[in-house]
Amino acid sequence: MGTNTLNNITAPNLISVDDVNQYFTSNTGDFYPRNASSGAIEDSAHSLGSAATQWKNIYSNNIIINGTLFDPDASGAGIDATNAIVSGATRTGSGQPDFLRASGAGASMTILATTTNLAITANTTSIVVASDIAVSSLTVAPAANNTCLVNDTQLAGAASTKYTGEHESDPISIDTVGTEISDRIGEYICLKGTAEYMLAYVEDATTLRHIKRGYFFDSSGAPIVREVKSNNDTLTIMSLGWVFMDADGVTVDVTYTSPIYNTTEPSSPVTDDYWFDLVSRLWKRYDGAAYQEVDRIPVGLVVVDGTNAVATRSFDFTRAFSDISSIEIEVESVTKARSNAGKNVISVYAQTNTYNAAPLDWDITTDLESGLTEAASTTYYLYITEQGAPKIATERPYDRLSDLKGYYHPYHSWRYVGDVYNNSVSNIIYSSNNSFEKSGAIVKIREQIASGVTSVDFGVTDLNARFSKYLVKMESVVTASATDITLRIGIAGVIKSDAQYRYSTQETADSGSTTGLANSSTNNIADTKFIISATSVGRGLVTNDADASLGGSIELHDIHNTARYTNIEWKTTHENAIVTHRAIGGGVYGSSAGNTNPIDTIRILATTGNISGKFTLYGWN
């Protein structure tokens, strides 16, 4: 509400336009307590309701009591309410914090607070910043000894390289490292590729870890997205500033060394280093002589190149985030995925959404993120907004398990729940359930039930760049006559049947069998296919032999790598009334000079006649 004093109108005075408009002014904006007699606003007066007449519900993002953010779940969720970003400007379409803006022209930035106020609590002091704050004279990036090269021969510009470094087990190796980078071991830095800015921790002189690819927003507030990487790509260090907001509502300090969180005072500090004392729960700044307590908190990052502030990232609001989610995804139609249960609950950016009436749908014709159009041969990621609405996006989520308790859209406060693959004719053909939640999670891609077919194929849309490793599970496989079961691979969709299959296999049969290759082995065979189960035992896999069947698995490793062979391994068990016959083998496709083409198709078939059974393809990284 407005802060104007309300005037009392008494008879026989005429009511003027100003008399009426004073109520419009007072009833817009913030809501203030007022003196019952004078109509003027006053502090610490009046109540909302009473003990006898209470309000039923209060809906609010935050509650501040005696100047401190209150959160009923704070103790259980590890929330530090004494140091909090309470609220501020957000991106259009979500609650993603967006209150820092690089100028793009000059070494300056702005804290946005005029249109939407920025509320913080720093060392128990809470304030509201109501006007934009300009921050100038930012430190620019170094001009020399400021680059390194990506050192990974497996990186060759494939789509999957946009995510290289984001998993803890997948750092980026670097070489030809300038001293401006090697001198920052143990700190976070910002590195620029061609257009992308990434946040990375310098683990040692040759390793970057804890990487957030495409982490920043440009001077217009648009995200600067991930880009592909290749071996020997140049990365250039930027100036990375940690922006601290003071509880006086005016002072902004930017430090260019990573703040330290520790129970003990850091050694060898330099002026303007910040330390969060985990014992006192207070921020402290080194003034050149000692660490001094300051009523400040970090609110985000600013990136400066050799001349201009080019990017920012606002830190997240302080919330009691939760990992609650009961949603699992299944394909409903060629345009739609849905939750596989009618009742679901999920917490998104500390907002709990419950669905009781029906499954939740993600429809690619209506739920695509703004600015996207449907594309074929594309993996789409499924999200839920804070308000519970479904969203479909092409941006892969960030791992935010350590702070937001889930995986989230890199540029919105939407929680990831699964993904789907839209094939070459724009049909959704498989879904996975939150496959990033567990490292190395195995995702079911497609299942085929074959009945008397010439072959079972998994093609380009199945063996897409989403995964580096694949497994085919085979169950109850039978053939029309005694015959070998073979595997062929395809390159660029073309099945190869030339004599370039090199493999070794060992076959064993139970003792007592009267036929077969019991305990035999073959080494380095050159053939026109891989034989994954031979039939030189018993009666083979004949459909009129009711007790005969084959089961097993085929693993394909690193199939998109163009720098080396693809490793293929198989294990099969063939059973009938006479004998149990097992085969274990592995091999590669290619000449002695080597074949570096990525595999994108596999075919399972019988040497003679048709094949039947259940074949399921899985993928993982």
Side-chain angles (χ1 to χ4, degrees):
M1 302 178 75
T3 58
N4 58 308
T5 298
L6 296 178
N7 298 314
N8 188 26
I9 305 170
T10 60
N13 293 333
L14 295 176
I15 299 175
S16 67
V17 172
D18 289 341
D19 292 329
V20 175
N21 286 342
Q22 68 173 333
Y23 295 104
F24 174 81
T25 301
S26 68
N27 287 321
T28 55
D30 296 331
F31 186 72
Y32 294 100
R34 294 180 179 274
N35 185 280
S37 299
S38 68
I41 63 170
E42 56 184 355
D43 187 33
S44 301
H46 311 298
S47 302
L48 285 174
S50 67
T53 54
Q54 299 182 9
W55 293 94
K56 182 177 181 180
N57 297 303
I58 296 176
Y59 297 90
S60 172
N61 284 334
N62 302 289
I63 298 175
I64 298 173
I65 299 176
N66 293 327
T68 300
L69 175 71
F70 169 74
D71 192 320
D73 298 321
S75 59
I79 300 300
D80 179 14
T82 63
N83 294 279
I85 304 175
V86 179
S87 61
T90 59
R91 292 199 73 209
T92 301
S94 76
Q96 177 71 36
D98 186 32
F99 48 80
L100 300 183
R101 187 72 74 242
S103 68
S108 60
M109 59 161 288
T110 302
I111 294 181
L112 304 175
T114 299
T115 303
T116 302
N117 297 164
L118 175 63
I120 68 166
T121 300
N123 289 357
T124 73
T125 301
S126 296
I127 57 102
V128 174
V129 182
S131 300
D132 291 354
I133 300 175
V135 184
S136 60
S137 301
L138 298 172
T139 299
V140 299
N145 303 313
N146 59 346
T147 63
C148 63
L149 300 180
V150 175
N151 181 27
D152 189 339
T153 57
Q154 296 188 44
L155 302 184
S160 59
T161 64
K162 292 192 296 184
Y163 315 113
T164 299
E166 290 194 340
H167 195 277
E168 290 303 293
S169 63
D170 180 32
I172 292 180
S173 296
I174 55 176
D175 62 7
T176 319
V177 181
T179 55
E180 292 288 352
I181 297 172
S182 59
D183 287 347
R184 304 299 292 274
I185 292 173
E187 293 189 44
Y188 279 92
I189 62 174
C190 176
L191 292 166
K192 182 185 179 184
T194 302
E196 174 195 11
Y197 296 90
M198 68 175 75
L199 182 70
Y201 179 78
V202 186
E203 183 174 75
D204 55 47
T206 61
T207 308
L208 303 174
R209 203 179 287 275
H210 311 313
I211 301 168
K212 287 288 188 294
R213 300 286 304 275
Y215 191 60
F216 297 93
F217 299 88
D218 68 16
S219 59
S220 71
I224 308 170
V225 300
R226 305 165 171 113
E227 63 188 13
V228 298
K229 286 284 174 276
S230 295
N231 188 40
N232 287 324
D233 277 356
T234 299
L235 301 176
T236 304
I237 190 171
M238 299 287 102
S239 175
L240 179 66
W242 300 73
V243 182
F244 278 76
M245 184 72 221
D246 197 282
D248 64 9
V250 177
T251 303
V252 177
D253 188 28
V254 181
T255 181
Y256 300 92
T257 56
S258 301
I260 295 174
Y261 294 75
N262 211 326
T263 55
T264 58
E265 183 175 304
S267 60
S268 305
V270 297
T271 301
D272 213 29
D273 278 2
Y274 279 81
W275 163 44
F276 186 72
D277 187 338
L278 292 173
V279 177
S280 65
R281 310 298 297 178
L282 296 174
W283 276 104
K284 299 177 181 181
R285 174 184 174 275
Y286 190 72
D287 64 3
Y291 276 101
Q292 306 292 344
E293 292 180 9
V294 288
D295 292 339
R296 295 174 185 171
I297 61 167
V299 295
L301 300 170
V302 60
V303 177
V304 190
D305 64 16
T307 307
N308 305 313
V310 292
T312 54
R313 177 96 185 192
S314 303
F315 287 160
D316 284 282
F317 299 129
T318 305
R319 301 281 188 272
F321 298 107
S322 170
D323 61 0
I324 294 173
S325 177
S326 64
I327 293 177
E328 293 191 352
I329 305 299
E330 64 184 10
V331 174
E332 182 178 0
S333 70
V334 296
T335 64
K336 190 181 295 184
R338 69 177 182 183
S339 60
N340 64 6
K343 183 175 182 179
N344 292 283
V345 61
I346 185 171
S347 177
V348 182
Y349 212 69
Q351 175 68 48
T352 300
N353 297 293
T354 303
Y355 310 88
N356 292 318
L360 183 63
D361 291 334
W362 285 262
D363 191 329
I364 201 166
T365 66
T366 59
D367 296 328
L368 280 172
E369 181 179 352
S370 177
L372 295 180
T373 55
E374 182 179 358
S377 303
T378 300
T379 296
Y380 284 98
Y381 302 95
L382 309 182
Y383 294 93
I384 294 180
T385 70
E386 301 98 309
Q387 292 74 33
K391 289 290 183 181
I392 302 175
T394 53
E395 289 295 340
R396 177 168 155 171
Y398 282 156
D399 179 350
R400 301 297 302 272
L401 291 170
S402 62
D403 51 1
L404 305 189
K405 309 301 182 184
Y407 280 70
Y408 276 80
H409 192 292
Y411 311 118
H412 287 290
S413 51
W414 306 338
R415 187 170 175 184
Y416 162 81
V417 294
D419 48 78
V420 295
Y421 185 71
N422 208 35
N423 71 6
S424 59
V425 293
S426 293
N427 289 337
I428 293 175
I429 60 170
Y430 75 80
S431 64
S432 63
N433 296 303
N434 216 346
S435 59
F436 297 104
E437 291 285 1
K438 297 177 287 295
S439 174
I442 296 178
V443 176
K444 180 179 177 181
I445 297 174
R446 187 154 70 102
E447 177 182 290
Q448 297 188 60
I449 305 296
S451 179
V453 299
T454 56
S455 66
V456 175
D457 291 8
F458 292 101
V460 176
T461 57
D462 302 311
L463 304 175
N464 61 80
R466 164 71 192 282
F467 301 106
S468 61
K469 293 180 276 291
Y470 294 86
L471 179 143
V472 180
K473 181 180 180 182
M474 301 178 292
E475 301 173 79
S476 303
V477 177
V478 296
T479 58
S481 60
T483 182
D484 296 339
I485 302 297
T486 65
L487 169 70
R488 287 193 170 100
I489 62 97
I491 295 172
V494 178
I495 297 297
K496 313 300 283 187
S497 57
D498 50 356
Q500 298 298 322
Y501 291 81
R502 309 191 71 84
Y503 68 97
S504 174
T505 188
Q506 177 155 353
E507 304 177 59
T508 61
D510 288 345
S511 60
S513 64
T514 58
T515 63
L517 300 173
N519 300 313
S520 70
S521 65
T522 57
N523 294 293
N524 202 30
I525 287 178
D527 205 340
T528 59
K529 71 275 185 184
F530 297 123
I531 297 177
I532 61 176
S533 180
T535 57
S536 301
V537 287
R539 289 165 287 179
L541 302 174
V542 294
T543 53
N544 60 2
D545 190 357
D547 59 357
S549 68
L550 175 141
S553 63
I554 304 168
E555 291 189 28
L556 300 94
H557 297 269
D558 206 15
I559 70 170
H560 306 297
N561 190 344
T562 59
R564 59 188 63 181
Y565 284 119
T566 293
N567 295 314
I568 300 174
E569 303 173 43
W570 55 86
K571 300 176 183 178
T572 61
T573 301
H574 159 198
E575 298 182 75
N576 62 30
I578 294 178
V579 69
T580 297
H581 171 229
R582 302 177 182 86
I584 300 175
V588 297
Y589 171 83
S591 67
S592 58
N595 178 74
T596 57
N597 295 305
I599 292 173
D600 56 22
T601 308
I602 59 173
R603 173 172 291 172
I604 303 165
L605 68 163
T607 301
T608 304
N610 294 334
I611 190 170
S612 302
K614 180 179 178 181
F615 302 82
T616 309
L617 177 68
Y618 299 86
W620 76 99
N621 288 308

